[in-house]
Amino acid sequence: MNHAGREPAKRRVRTGVPRAPLPGGGRGRAAPSGACCDTWPEDVMSGIDEAPGGPWSTDDALTQGLADTVRRTGASIGAIYLVEEGEPALRLVAMCGLPLEFSAPWRRLPLTAPVPVADAIREDRLVWVGGQEDMARRYPRVTAVLPYRFSLAAIALTGARRCWGGLVLMWPADHPRRATPRERSHIAGSAGRLARLLDEAPRPPTLPDQPRTVSVDTEPARRSARTTPAAPTALAAADYAERLPEGAAALDLEGRITFITGTAARLLGSSADRLLGTRPWQSLPWLDNPVYEDHYRTAVISRAPLSYDALRPPDHWLTFQLYPDASGISVRITPSGKQPVPHAAPRPTAVTATGRLYQLVHLAAALTETVSVRDLVDLLAGQILPAFRAQGLVLSVADAGRLRITGHYGYPAEAVERLDGLPLDTGLTPVGHSLVTGTSAFFSGPEELARSYPRAPWMSGKEAWAFLPLVITGRPVGCCVVSYDRPHVFTADERAVLTSLAGLIAQALDRARLYDAQHQLVHGLQEALLPRALPAVAGLDVAARYLPASHGIDVGGDFYDLLRLDGTTAAAVIGDVEGHSIAAAALMGQVRTAIHAHATAGGSPDQVLARTNRLLSDLDSDLLVTCLYVHLDLARREVALASAGHVPPLLCRGLRRAEVLEVDPGPLLGIDVGARYPVARVPLDPGAVLALYTDGLVEVPGNNIDHSTGELVEYLASAHDHDLEDLIEGLVHCTWPTGRHTDDIAVLLLRTLREAPAPG
């Protein structure tokens, strides 16, 4: 009988606070209805108030607070992110329920990253993900790295003075897809307590390179079930396992074998002494495959039982059944009753660093989401460098036989100036040789680099480098240099991952450059079609804003204009051509030109729209056009409006006196050649604000357009006296608080001044 595998005492974070058992038995289930999680033990909140030198630090209190939160919410996994000072990034500072190596892809995240915790912080709300399908739909990058079944909640840690960061909680695969109101209340309450802990801390918490880990103590619940002393019970349990015909083993959350029976060792073809303390996929060559380690990861994260078969050479098929909980995994090993065909066995692979493999998948998924070169540089600086503990980055593109630096991080300006514009075949640094040969070059220290390139070390001031050529099908795209402030020995798996990343970075850079070129072309076309500046009109204060859609590079059809007709009259126009294309932009230019010509010729609002409509009917365009034309008589304090199916304008006459101007709309332009456009006349008081806008401002997915318009009216009534530029900003934020508008937006604001211009 082998007792050497008894589970060692679990490592615990020092807190000085006695641990309470988990509500409901401590096995990752939700707290029962009678459980209260409105308060923490007083020592958790008061421990940080002790004088410096006391037994607790802010870090200890925060880590213990996380453990208590996980215990009281019934979660299986928890993590705390804090916002880095002066950087738009999040740092993972504490976690429980997962091995430390699992956190590698998630230790530092940009605040703009498409992940639940970043969304929760940016939008200051609880983000709930009910399962794998929900995660795949909303956060595909996360799913690529964590393709497992679990539920997740993320919520901001918003204190009295600031948002400190975010809390992430995960539940096993059998958790209901929807969170109950009580559960949401518990999560929000836990986040509030953690934020208050941070508010009241005498010193801010540290931001470690690796997160602090803590185990959720379930031992009291286990001990309460025992009726005999601990040592005899352990011996009896081991004897019981040894007498069973199948093998039994236990893994901790790090994947190490903490207990194994003699039968299990014989089935695995080894001895218990050689297996204890090791990970199976490291100590058994025939299990050295990422597929088998992934089964372990699945069990740890989903906390759901699973089973799989593996072939122990030459012909012994074994069935492994994994039963996980919060403390580890119980493994049942039996000879397989079925005989899978030989080719069904996973083929051996050279990849043994599964943690690095997952990290590569995570970074590859992130690279696919970069759009512009600026996005790519931010991603490399924010995620690639921390993943490899590097401090410097230079990204160059091949341009007319030279390397032009398009982005850098961690380098002084003078160093960038020296490195910019080097020829592609330069011999000053390894860049030229790497591009010619297409192979990466790694230098662990300045002496190693100086032997072949004497001038290279002093050009950058760094002390270790990875030169990664960016090549696509033999065509050099550029070069990525990852550097270190101190000497650094590159391990074999670091070299492999960085070399693999170079190919992905090359493709991302090529796409980003193409996008930037197209975006610049589109932006230039859009600027050419919109007025460069609005004319000054006596008695009128004006401001305008055009916001292209948040995604895509196609030019839009939204337009606006302001025309000074004479000393006391002016015309304002706003419209929207259907679609996002060159055709839409061209039609928009024709509509603006036609309106300008008919307005300056002295036409009334209905005449201007009717004549423009006839022109578009002659052009026989398939695109629909909405338009609102406004004639302002500033001497008479009157405005006349005509609409071709456009969204109605807003008028604010003063504090809490805003309304939607109901203008009887005529048909869209270009549909009916004989269409008529009714005219509405409205008095325009001194200080009044007239707001013209396109439908992109109010057509919010999942929100009724009348509701969005009502929100704009309320905001305009309360902020009518603001500066017009600030007022536009507020109106856009009112309906699109995250800034991710899905359509183009044009806004034109007109405010009448207190003194009207004199007639003539």
Side-chain angles (χ1 to χ4, degrees):
M1 182 174 64
N2 176 28
H3 301 306
R6 294 175 200 153
E7 185 174 355
K10 291 185 173 63
R11 213 182 63 182
R12 291 181 172 81
V13 172
R14 178 177 59 85
T15 62
V17 176
R19 309 272 183 101
L22 240 73
R27 288 307 189 95
R29 289 174 169 75
S33 58
C36 174
C37 52
D38 293 334
T39 59
W40 280 344
E42 282 301 317
D43 289 346
V44 176
M45 299 304 299
S46 63
I48 59 173
D49 294 330
E50 299 179 4
W56 272 33
S57 68
T58 304
D59 299 326
D60 289 327
L62 191 65
T63 308
Q64 177 61 28
L66 174 63
D68 289 330
T69 295
V70 169
R71 182 185 303 113
R72 291 172 179 272
T73 57
S76 56
I77 296 167
I80 291 178
Y81 283 87
L82 295 182
V83 178
E84 293 186 359
E85 199 68 36
E87 293 285 342
L90 300 171
R91 183 80 64 86
L92 178 60
V93 299
M95 58 180 289
C96 64
L98 280 180
L100 185 62
E101 66 178 26
F102 280 30
S103 68
W106 315 103
R107 291 179 187 173
R108 191 174 188 270
L109 299 171
L111 264 174
T112 56
V115 295
V117 66
D119 280 355
I121 293 171
R122 287 196 311 269
E123 301 169 16
D124 194 19
R125 66 181 178 92
L126 171 64
V127 174
W128 177 265
V129 182
Q132 188 177 14
E133 292 182 3
D134 194 12
M135 183 70 78
R137 184 177 64 257
R138 296 164 58 187
Y139 301 101
R141 185 195 298 183
V142 177
T143 308
V145 186
L146 296 176
Y148 311 118
R149 292 165 47 233
F150 58 87
S151 297
L152 179 145
I155 189 170
L157 301 179
T158 304
R161 303 186 307 274
R162 56 173 288 188
C163 177
W164 291 95
L167 168 68
V168 178
L169 298 170
M170 295 167 60
W171 287 265
D174 60 355
H175 189 280
R177 292 181 59 84
R178 296 184 181 275
T180 65
R182 178 179 177 83
E183 193 168 26
R184 288 176 175 269
S185 176
H186 286 346
I187 296 168
S190 297
R193 286 187 292 274
L194 287 168
R196 182 163 67 90
L197 187 154
L198 290 164
D199 280 341
E200 298 175 357
R203 292 172 300 279
T206 58
L207 300 182
D209 289 336
Q210 291 189 351
R212 295 159 58 93
T213 58
V214 61
S215 61
V216 178
D217 191 0
T218 59
E219 286 304 311
R222 294 171 185 258
R223 285 194 296 268
S224 65
R226 294 174 179 166
T227 58
T228 58
T233 301
L235 293 173
D239 289 339
Y240 166 79
E242 283 290 351
R243 288 190 290 266
L244 295 176
E246 67 265 15
L251 307 181
D252 62 15
L253 291 181
E254 300 289 337
R256 290 184 292 265
I257 299 174
T258 58
F259 172 83
I260 189 168
T261 63
T263 302
R266 286 192 298 274
L267 287 171
L268 295 177
S270 185
S271 65
D273 292 339
R274 295 184 61 182
L275 293 174
L276 284 171
T278 69
R279 294 179 172 91
W281 49 90
Q282 293 175 344
S283 54
L284 298 169
W286 52 278
L287 286 178
D288 183 9
N289 190 297
V291 172
Y292 299 130
E293 185 177 349
D294 189 63
H295 291 315
Y296 150 74
R297 286 174 174 262
T298 302
V300 170
I301 294 176
S302 67
R303 296 289 201 266
L306 62 87
S307 175
Y308 64 92
D309 294 320
L311 174 64
R312 196 198 90 194
D315 56 2
H316 298 286
W317 282 94
L318 301 176
T319 297
F320 294 81
Q321 294 171 288
L322 276 57
Y323 301 93
D325 75 353
S327 63
I329 301 175
S330 297
V331 183
R332 183 169 176 256
I333 308 171
T334 57
S336 178
K338 59 180 181 179
Q339 294 297 322
V341 293
H343 63 75
R347 289 178 296 178
T349 174
V351 180
T352 59
T354 306
R356 283 290 188 190
L357 181 62
Y358 274 80
Q359 190 176 44
L360 178 59
V361 171
H362 170 77
L363 296 175
L367 283 169
T368 62
E369 297 181 0
T370 57
V371 176
S372 66
V373 174
R374 181 70 262 169
D375 293 339
L376 179 59
V377 172
D378 290 343
L379 173 69
L380 295 176
Q383 296 194 41
I384 304 294
L385 294 189
F388 295 93
R389 300 180 180 275
Q391 294 80 40
L393 167 76
V394 174
L395 184 66
S396 304
V397 298
D399 182 18
R402 292 189 174 272
L403 284 168
R404 302 294 180 184
I405 294 179
T406 59
H408 59 89
Y409 180 85
Y411 281 79
E414 56 271 18
V416 174
E417 186 177 352
R418 287 195 297 266
L419 295 170
D420 191 21
L422 293 175
L424 290 181
D425 58 352
T426 178
L428 291 177
T429 75
V431 172
H433 183 263
S434 293
L435 281 175
V436 170
T437 61
T439 58
S440 301
F442 301 90
F443 299 89
S444 301
E447 297 81 7
E448 183 181 350
L449 179 61
R451 282 197 290 268
S452 302
Y453 304 92
R455 297 176 58 188
W458 66 263
M459 291 182 71
S460 66
K462 300 297 183 180
E463 298 197 8
W465 301 264
F467 292 88
L468 309 174
L470 307 180
V471 181
I472 298 179
T473 60
R475 175 172 58 90
V477 176
C479 184
C480 179
V481 181
V482 176
S483 58
Y484 295 77
D485 291 342
R486 295 286 182 270
H488 176 83
V489 177
F490 293 92
T491 63
D493 62 305
E494 279 181 327
R495 293 171 183 247
V497 173
L498 282 169
T499 301
S500 300
L501 276 177
L504 299 174
I505 294 171
Q507 296 179 33
L509 179 60
D510 204 38
R511 291 194 308 268
R513 292 183 67 195
L514 178 61
Y515 175 92
D516 284 348
Q518 292 176 327
H519 188 270
Q520 186 176 3
L521 175 63
V522 166
H523 185 69
L525 177 60
Q526 192 83 61
E527 286 188 336
L529 293 173
L530 292 173
R532 291 184 178 273
L534 298 177
V537 177
L540 201 62
D541 188 14
V542 299
R545 185 82 56 85
Y546 173 77
L547 301 171
S550 299
H551 301 285
I553 60 174
D554 291 328
V555 62
D558 290 23
F559 65 94
Y560 61 87
D561 210 345
L562 180 67
L563 311 174
R564 185 174 53 203
L565 301 179
D566 58 37
T568 61
T569 62
V573 61
I574 194 164
D576 185 4
V577 179
E578 176 190 19
H580 295 80
S581 64
I582 298 298
L587 186 60
M588 180 257 279
Q590 292 171 314
V591 173
R592 274 196 63 221
T593 302
I595 290 176
H596 194 284
H598 297 314
T600 53
S604 61
D606 57 328
Q607 291 173 336
V608 171
L609 289 186
R611 294 167 184 171
T612 304
N613 175 57
R614 282 195 292 272
L615 173 65
L616 292 186
S617 298
D618 293 341
L619 292 176
D620 194 25
S621 172
D622 293 331
L623 300 177
L624 303 177
V625 182
T626 70
C627 185
L628 177 68
Y629 182 86
V630 180
H631 183 273
L632 301 109
D633 191 329
L634 301 174
R636 295 182 180 180
R637 300 286 190 185
E638 184 183 70
V639 60
L641 309 95
S643 173
H646 198 76
V647 288
L650 311 179
L651 177 63
C652 182
R653 304 179 188 275
L655 183 62
R656 293 181 174 80
R657 296 175 57 203
E659 60 180 316
V660 179
L661 286 183
E662 297 298 339
V663 182
D664 189 14
L668 276 63
L669 300 178
I671 295 179
D672 180 7
V673 68
R676 296 181 179 275
Y677 298 92
V679 177
R681 299 185 184 278
V682 180
L684 203 59
D685 302 330
V689 177
L690 183 63
L692 315 181
Y693 55 93
T694 55
D695 56 8
L697 182 63
V698 291
E699 289 187 348
V700 180
N703 202 3
N704 183 277
I705 190 171
D706 292 333
H707 178 72
S708 298
T709 306
E711 291 180 330
L712 293 179
V713 170
E714 291 180 8
Y715 178 80
L716 190 60
S718 63
H720 73 285
D721 57 345
H722 290 188
D723 176 80
L724 289 186
E725 293 290 345
D726 294 338
L727 191 54
I728 291 178
E729 195 77 31
L731 289 170
V732 174
H733 185 268
C734 184
T735 52
W736 296 95
T738 65
R740 299 179 181 179
H741 47 91
T742 56
D743 195 4
D744 297 341
I745 296 175
V747 181
L748 177 61
L749 298 186
L750 311 168
R751 174 185 283 145
T752 55
L753 303 181
R754 296 297 175 182
E755 294 186 6

